[in-house]
Amino acid sequence: MAAKDTAPSLEILARGPEGCFVWNGPPFGNDEPSVKLERVPCSSAKFSEDGSRLLVMKSDFVISIYDCSSFKEIKSFQVPNVLAAVLSPCGTYLQTFQKSSTPQVKNLVLWKTESGESVHQQFQKNMTKTTWPSIRLSSDEAIACRMATNEIQFFDPKDFSKGIVHRIRVPGVAAVELSMVPGSHVAAFIPESKGVPASVQIFACGKEMQSQPVARRSFFRCDTVQLKWNRGSTGLLAVAQADVDKTNQSYYGESKLNYLTTNGSHEGLVPLRKEGPIHDVQWSCSGSEFAVVYGFMPASATLFDKKCHPLLELGSGPYNTVRWNPKGKFLCLAGFGNLPGDMAFWDYVDKKQIGTTKAEWSVTSEWSPDGCYFMTATTAPRLQVDNGIKIFHHNGSLYFKKMFDKLYEAQWKPESPDRFGDIAELIKSVDSLKVTETKSQGQGAVSKKPAPAQKPAAYRPPHAKAAAAVQAELFGGSSTEQMSKNALKNMKKREKQREKKAAEAATTAGGSL
């Protein structure tokens, strides 16, 4: 493990209408983040998985690659009609997808980021969230594969000029997920067809071990699936989702959580103690435990070991999100989206809750790579108002807040958690930091306390309001309704006029005597 004094600094990428910029992450000097990369006009920006490279898509189909150690541009690509671009996990390759009308045009291109050389080209008819990126590489870039019609194709990542080096025949395959650390296995999803149930199958990536799946799980009532590998590539969580719940218990369809292991020790459903949808599931950094948020509201949350045995119940509440700390010590349960933003922070090692707070209207959320901070962001186009970033300590106390007129995304620069010191020592080093709140440019500081919210009045239909006003004018008040401001004003005006006339009459009468 890296020593504390050699740990990298945290960095934050934010993007708005005028482009993206990079801040130094917490702890902040003078309670304000400093700028690491000045604003760059762009339509999108994304780090590579290891945080070594930054991809920035600019206008006129220009794609720039930055070295994240210095944030200097190292290469620029001009790719006409580009629709999507992504970096490989280590930043070695840039993959682009261009709009194409004929199969003769090879619109999927793999480029070397250092030299700008094109190392692989092929035609791809369309692109979806399930099929992008088309060529998948493991985290160490030792394995590369691609889903094709009825098969999974493998390449040599060090020499793509060899073309397809071997294939796995998988009839009807609709989605694949390559295990990341290490890239030893690949999972394939085959939808229902002609009465045959849907299935998830796991294959070994070694050429001599690909004839039969090492694990398989079949199920009916499944339209889509989410595949989540653990670190170590020994276990796979598969969330099977059906668009229609035939039991009529949920408008949002039906979902089941399946668990498969590469050694065949477990192939079945995860034993959940409550009926309802699977809201979220995430592996711990060790790959030995996973957390699930599930069930009808209030949802339940449970931690399981890799044998599917419950380890810890986190209770129930308005939650639909779970985020596990990169160091494995803390985790956050939250309710975002259409939920009010409640967050509960837990210490997994000590098996206790350490804090609660709220982050209303949050769209994205993630732990910092060192595991000490938790960042939420309210972004457009999901929400057009109250855009901004909030950073919390590990126990839920607010550390920093920044508002924007409009914010499209905010993300931590990826770093390996192993490069940071022990989590307990890191927490001690930031305990003295104070909470700060800043405003975006153009917004003044708050100079007065907000007025207390008034209790909303009961609804009255227009005809009742008119009747009350007439009653107030005729009789000077109402026995059942409080007079409106206008009626009260008119009544006082009439009383003053009557008093004035009475005084004038008394003066006139006195003068005539």
Side-chain angles (χ1 to χ4, degrees), residues 359-421:
E360 298 89 346
W361 312 300
S362 297
V363 177
T364 61
S365 60
E366 197 53 73
W367 286 95
S368 60
D370 67 349
C372 293
Y373 303 94
F374 190 76
M375 180 171 67
T376 65
T378 303
T379 58
R382 175 72 177 270
L383 289 172
Q384 299 291 344
V385 295
D386 296 319
N387 284 189
I389 295 170
K390 292 180 180 178
I391 299 177
F392 299 86
H393 288 290
H394 68 281
N395 59 3
S397 62
L398 181 64
Y399 168 66
F400 176 79
K401 180 179 178 181
K402 177 75 172 178
M403 304 303 293
F404 294 83
D405 293 332
K406 187 163 286 189
L407 178 68
Y408 291 142
E409 67 176 315
Q411 56 179 293
W412 298 101
K413 183 173 83 71
E415 291 284 358
S416 171
D418 296 335
R419 298 187 63 188
F420 298 92

Side-chain angles (χ1 to χ4, degrees), residues 57 63 79-86 94-100 106-111 122-128 131-134:
M57 293 187 69
I63 302 173
V79 186
N81 300 318
V82 64
L83 297 179
V86 66
L94 167 68
Q95 188 173 168
T96 61
F97 175 78
Q98 298 164 265
K99 185 178 180 180
S100 178
K106 296 182 178 180
N107 59 334
L108 183 76
V109 185
L110 202 63
W111 314 79
Q122 66 183 53
F123 172 76
Q124 182 165 313
K125 186 175 181 180
N126 52 35
M127 178 198 69
T128 65
T131 61
W132 181 255
S134 178

